[in-house]
Amino acid sequence: MQDQTARETLDRLMVDTITHEMIRPLDLLSINRSYLWTHLQCDADGADEKVKQALDSIGVATSHIERLWRNCADLMACTHGEMQPRQEPVDLCALIQLIGEENEYVERATGVKLEIAIPKQPLCVTTDSTMAERILLNLLSNALQLSKPGKKVIIALKEKADDVQLIVQDFGQGMTKQIVQTLCTAPCVNTQEGEHPYWVETGIGLHLCREMCGLLEWKPTVKTGIKGTTVILNIPRDKVVATSQLVFRSEGEQAELYKAECRARIRMELGSVPGLEKYWT
């Protein structure tokens, strides 16, 4: 027990230290990239394309490091019981619509079309808006990576008698057994000698999805095969909030600010998909 407590303390110390130390170098990379871009007049006609590509690569690398760092830190917080979801009404239709607005660029860059299917009326559930957003975006980026040009990814929201289903469907090569297990079950460390646990070779994002789904009481199920993969998140019926019960809906400048911030997060996540590396800019 003492050994376990010591390991947990050390894990927490490592995450806190890395989190504190990462902020400064990431800020320096962003600031100096912006300075060089302006100083070297990269927006001017006839600017050196190799210089622009080099600076773009620095920006993309910075974005990827920040995303990985945040996912790792949040996953650690989840597994150590340090992250608790807020309870607030979240309009899932509005979130999916914002993602759907990115279809034009995604299709142009990757050849994969985004398609959304949502109710005509707002569908609000009691959940944590940040966690819900992170789950959906991680599932979307995974689906895009499984897809090939000419295919599509569908994000759907369905209200059933017993629950609400948030669905991400792709028509790619299908998830491997390892990825399905990562999303749907707790990590298993009981492996035979010389074998890697199945969760070692899968992405941090799906581990984070699993942990956050557990905190939100969302149950993930996966149907996968040679024709693609469908991930269904079952949200308990008692989480649904009638829009007539809401005291107000954010409008005006506050709503536009939220949308702008949400779009930035969407583009940051999509920038992790091959072919969309420059999307965050």
Side-chain angles (χ1 to χ4, degrees):
M1 186 66 180
Q2 289 181 344
D3 288 343
Q4 181 179 352
T5 301
R7 284 197 300 270
E8 290 178 354
T9 301
L10 182 58
D11 287 345
R12 186 70 263 167
L13 175 63
M14 290 175 62
V15 171
D16 288 344
T17 301
I18 292 172
T19 297
H20 176 74
E21 295 296 332
M22 285 284 281
I23 294 174
R24 178 172 170 76
L26 286 173
D27 284 346
L28 285 174
L29 283 169
S30 297
I31 291 170
N32 286 321
R33 177 192 174 277
S34 297
Y35 167 75
L36 289 172
W37 187 276
T38 302
H39 181 71
L40 297 173
Q41 299 181 333
C42 291
D43 287 324
D45 294 337
D48 190 320
E49 288 299 323
K50 290 185 177 180
V51 171
K52 292 172 64 176
Q53 289 176 9
L55 293 176
D56 277 340
S57 296
I58 292 173
V60 170
T62 302
S63 173
H64 285 193
I65 292 170
E66 181 176 356
R67 175 180 175 271
L68 177 61
W69 154 49
R70 292 189 184 281
N71 277 347
C72 288
D74 287 346
L75 179 59
M76 181 70 73
C78 285
T79 56
H80 282 264
E82 297 172 358
M83 183 177 289
Q84 296 300 321
R86 291 173 303 196
Q87 300 297 319
E88 55 188 342
V90 177
D91 186 352
L92 294 178
C93 290
L95 173 58
I96 294 172
Q97 280 180 319
L98 281 175
I99 294 173
E101 290 175 5
E102 308 303 313
N103 172 61
E104 182 178 350
Y105 185 90
V106 172
E107 187 173 11
R108 187 167 67 245
T110 66
V112 179
K113 182 178 180 180
L114 290 183
E115 186 176 298
I116 64 173
I118 57 177
K120 293 182 179 180
Q121 299 299 321
L123 179 53
C124 294
V125 299
T126 301
T127 190
D128 184 297
S129 60
T130 301
M131 289 189 185
E133 184 182 296
R134 294 283 290 281
I135 291 169
L136 185 52
L137 289 178
N138 272 303
L139 291 178
L140 173 59
S141 63
N142 189 75
L144 287 171
Q145 291 179 64
L146 291 172
S147 301
K148 294 182 178 180
K151 300 294 184 178
K152 64 181 177 180
V153 172
I154 299 174
I155 303 176
L157 188 64
K158 297 181 179 180
E159 190 170 7
K160 301 288 188 177
D162 298 327
D163 57 20
V164 171
Q165 294 184 342
L166 181 56
I167 302 167
V168 179
Q169 181 179 8
D170 68 71
F171 298 86
Q173 61 210 40
M175 280 187 182
T176 65
K177 178 182 178 181
Q178 288 79 5
I179 296 177
V180 172
Q181 288 178 315
T182 296
L183 185 58
C184 294
T185 62
C188 175
V189 295
N190 296 322
T191 56
Q192 296 181 5
E193 185 177 355
E195 289 185 351
H196 290 297
Y198 66 76
W199 46 267
V200 167
E201 298 177 355
T202 52
I204 291 294
L206 290 180
H207 288 279
L208 188 60
C209 282
R210 180 194 62 242
E211 296 299 325
M212 288 188 171
C213 280
L215 290 172
L216 297 180
E217 299 179 30
W218 294 8
K219 183 180 178 182
T221 57
V222 180
K223 300 176 182 178
T224 189
I226 59 174
K227 294 185 179 180
T229 300
T230 301
V231 179
I232 303 173
L233 303 179
N234 297 92
I235 304 171
R237 184 71 194 179
D238 60 11
K239 300 290 185 180
V240 177
V241 180
T243 54
S244 60
Q245 295 178 353
L246 298 178
V247 176
F248 68 92
R249 290 175 58 85
S250 297
E251 300 292 348
E253 293 183 3
Q254 191 67 27
E256 290 305 313
L257 178 61
Y258 166 76
K259 289 180 180 178
E261 292 174 344
C262 186
R263 287 191 187 99
R265 292 189 293 268
I266 290 170
R267 293 169 183 177
M268 176 77 77
E269 178 62 34
L270 291 179
S272 68
V273 178
L276 292 175
E277 291 90 346
K278 297 181 181 180
Y279 192 27
W280 68 277
T281 60

